[in-house]
Structures are given as structure tokens and as C-alpha cells.
């Protein structure tokens, strides 16, 4: 998969979920937008979980840990470059390594992710 394919297939989903890593709790509007974008992609909850752990968290957690990080909003263009670069290299040992350490990279936003997944289940009529 090349960079353009990644942006076309995942870009809007990645950007929609980025507010999970901001310094404020997502608003009702944020959650509604996230659920809407997730539903457009029709991914299973398991696929969403792995996308969260492997595709997003390794990049986004670096923003949380950086002193110079932007906490109010992200530069979408710069963020997309970082996400694409990470995901193009996400093969073999890198994929396994991130899977192994995904608990560490997701722990600061896990409560928000659980809330979002609950809302997705409600939207899908699974609750």
C-alpha cells in the first residue's frame, strides 16, 4: 500500500479520532463525529481496536509525551504525514513490537476509547 492509498482509506478516520489525544475530554459533538466517520468505514470493533493500537496510538502517544506538543488542536497536514510514515513502516517486527507495547501507548486515552466504542455499539444497535 502506498501513501496515497493510506490517506484515501484511513485519513479521515485517523483525523476524526485524533481528538481522543487532546488535553480535554471530547465533547458530545466530537464523539458524534467520530461515530459517524467510524460508521462510514464499516469496520468491525476488533478491526477498530487494532487500528487504534497499531496505526494511531504509536504516533499519537508521542504527542502526549512531548513537552512541545500542541494540546489544543493538531496540524492535520503534519499529523497525516506522521501517521502515513508510521503506517508505511508498520510491517514485520515493527508491527509485532507495537502490538506488544500497545497497552502502554493506549493507556492514557483508554477510557475515552471505551466510551467511543460504547457509542459505536449503541449506534449499531448492539447494546
Amino acid at each position: 500500500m502506498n501513501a496515497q492509498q493510506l490517506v484515501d482509506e484511513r485519513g479521515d478516520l485517523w483525523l476524526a479520532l485524533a481528538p481522543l489525544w487532546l488535553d480535554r475530554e471530547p465533547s458530545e459533538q466530537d464523539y458524534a463525529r467520530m461515530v459517524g466517520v467510524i460508521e462510514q468505514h464499516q469496520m468491525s470493533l476488533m478491526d477498530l481496536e487494532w487500528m487504534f493500537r497499531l496505526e494511531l496510538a504509536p504516533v499519537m502517544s508521542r504527542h502526549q509525551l512531548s513537552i512541545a506538543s500542541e494540546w489544543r488542536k493538531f496540524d492535520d497536514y503534519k499529523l497525516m504525514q506522521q501517521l502515513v510514515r508510521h503506517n508505511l513502516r508498520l510491517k514485520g517486527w515493527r508491527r509485532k513490537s507495537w502490538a506488544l507495547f500497545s497497552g502502554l501507548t493506549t493507556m492514557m486515552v483508554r477510557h475515552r476509547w471505551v466510551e467511543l466504542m460504547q457509542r459505536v455499539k449503541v449506534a449499531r444497535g448492539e447494546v
Side-chain angles (χ1 to χ4, degrees), residues 3 6 17 37 44 56 64 67 78 102-103 105 112 117 127:
L6 277 172
L17 298 177
V37 173
S44 71
L56 279 170
Q64 281 187 314
I67 295 171
K78 183 177 176 184
S102 64
T105 60
R112 294 173 181 175
M117 290 301 96
V127 176

Side-chain angles (χ1 to χ4, degrees), residues 6-121:
L6 277 172
V7 170
D8 292 345
E9 291 180 18
R10 294 277 213 244
D12 60 333
L13 184 57
W14 289 339
L15 292 178
L17 298 177
L20 292 172
W21 280 269
L22 292 175
D23 70 337
R24 59 171 175 74
E25 289 297 318
S27 67
E28 289 296 321
Q29 184 179 2
D30 291 329
Y31 278 122
R33 181 171 181 272
M34 289 180 220
V35 170
V37 173
I38 287 170
E39 289 303 288
Q40 289 172 2
H41 284 265
Q42 300 178 340
M43 293 174 72
S44 71
L45 295 179
M46 182 61 70
D47 288 341
L48 285 166
E49 177 70 26
W50 283 110
M51 187 238 5
F52 169 67
R53 288 178 174 205
L54 300 178
E55 297 176 19
L56 279 170
V59 174
M60 302 306 294
S61 62
R62 289 182 212 145
H63 284 274
Q64 281 187 314
L65 298 174
S66 171
I67 295 171
S69 178
E70 179 62 52
W71 282 90
R72 293 287 173 207
K73 65 176 191 150
F74 295 111
D75 175 340
D76 288 350
Y77 181 77
K78 183 177 176 184
L79 182 59
M80 188 62 66
Q81 286 180 317
Q82 293 168 341
L83 287 163
V84 167
R85 190 174 331 118
H86 166 75
N87 281 279
L88 285 174
R89 296 183 347 207
L90 194 58
K91 296 176 180 76
W93 69 268
R94 281 191 172 103
R95 185 173 196 82
K96 291 175 184 173
S97 175
W98 284 119
L100 180 65
F101 293 106
S102 64
L104 293 172
T105 60
T106 60
M107 71 181 178
M108 292 178 72
V109 296
R110 178 56 67 180
H111 65 287
R112 294 173 181 175
W113 181 254
V114 169
E115 174 66 25
L116 176 60
M117 290 301 96
Q118 186 64 28
R119 291 170 186 248
V120 169
K121 288 178 186 176

